């Protein structure tokens, strides 16, 4: 029995070490400041602060990669979440979206936050600052409702006002 345990531990260690060789690319794409959500909506500093602490890591090109994103298999899991998150909604690519898409995404932001689906639950234990209060949710939804009604046909035309 002892032998089995010992060899299991050795096998586990080898697999763990081998896994470290598979390193996902964690380079953040470059950010064009004129294309961001912040530059193309009337965002109050309060809204900006909530989105930054709670959503930015997965929904922008400004991901702060934590130390454990160096360690497989956590690195694979994080990379997958960030890729998926950015694909669904990237604050850094906001101005590339059509008007219809922007309106839909604003609507979804409120919905996801109100239902508690976002930020992802798995994110919270290691990012307790991302947790939202009822007041945070109210502030977000008030802002998205206001913005939904005033999306320009061409994003980027407003230049940060
Ligand atoms: C740990 C990563 C992570 C964080 C943090 C996070 N998201 Fe997401 N988000 C995802 C992933 C992955 C998806 C796509 C898969 C899914 O819908 O579950 C997603 C999807 C979404 C969608 C699209 C949902 C749909 O069905 O179309 C919206 C909107 C969204 N997130 C908003 C937010 C907002 C707002 C915050 C901050 C309050 C946030 N997310 C925080 C990872 C994250």
């Amino acid at each position: 029995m002892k032998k089995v345990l010992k060899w299991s531990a050795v096998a586990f260690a080898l697999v763990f070490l081998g896994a470290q060789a598979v390193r996902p690319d964690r380079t953040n794409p470059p950010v064009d400041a004129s294309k961001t959500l912040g530059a193309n909506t009337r965002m109050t500093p309060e809204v900006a602060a909530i989105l930054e602490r709670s959503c930015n890591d997965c929904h922008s090109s400004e991901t702060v990669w934590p130390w454990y994103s160096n360690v497989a298999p956590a690195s694979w899991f994080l990379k997958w979440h960030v890729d998926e998150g950015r694909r669904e909604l990237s604050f850094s690519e906001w101005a590339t979206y059509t008007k219809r898409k922007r309106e839909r995404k604003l609507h979804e932001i409120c919905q996801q936050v109100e239902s508690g689906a976002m930020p992802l639950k798995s994110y919270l234990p290691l990012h307790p600052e991302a947790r939202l209060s009822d007041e945070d949710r109210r502030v977000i939804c008030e802002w998205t409702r206001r913005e939904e009604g005033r999306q320009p046909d061409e994003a980027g035309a407003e230049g940060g006002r």
Side-chain angles (χ1 to χ4, degrees), residues 50-51 53-59 80-86 88-89 91 104-110 112-113 117-120 122-123 130 132 140:
I50 297 170
L51 296 180
R53 72 178 153 83
S54 193
C55 324
N56 253 24
D57 276 347
C58 303
H59 290 292
W80 181 76
H81 267 168
V82 171
D83 283 352
E84 280 290 300
R86 282 176 183 164
E88 279 289 338
L89 167 67
F91 300 158
R104 199 174 62 232
K105 291 297 169 186
L106 284 164
H107 189 76
E108 279 170 10
I109 288 173
C110 171
Q112 296 288 314
V113 159
M118 290 288 151
L120 284 186
S122 62
Y123 182 70
L132 299 178
I140 292 287

Side-chain angles (χ1 to χ4, degrees), residues 97-140:
Y97 297 165
T98 61
K99 180 179 187 202
R100 202 168 151 260
K101 181 164 176 180
R102 276 179 269 123
E103 287 169 347
R104 199 174 62 232
K105 291 297 169 186
L106 284 164
H107 189 76
E108 279 170 10
I109 288 173
C110 171
Q111 224 173 24
Q112 296 288 314
V113 159
E114 273 195 333
S115 69
M118 290 288 151
L120 284 186
K121 296 250 176 340
S122 62
Y123 182 70
L124 294 174
L126 290 162
H127 297 86
E129 75 285 356
R131 217 170 274 281
L132 299 178
S133 66
D134 289 345
E135 173 65 8
D136 293 337
R137 291 191 190 95
R138 194 188 60 73
V139 167
I140 292 287

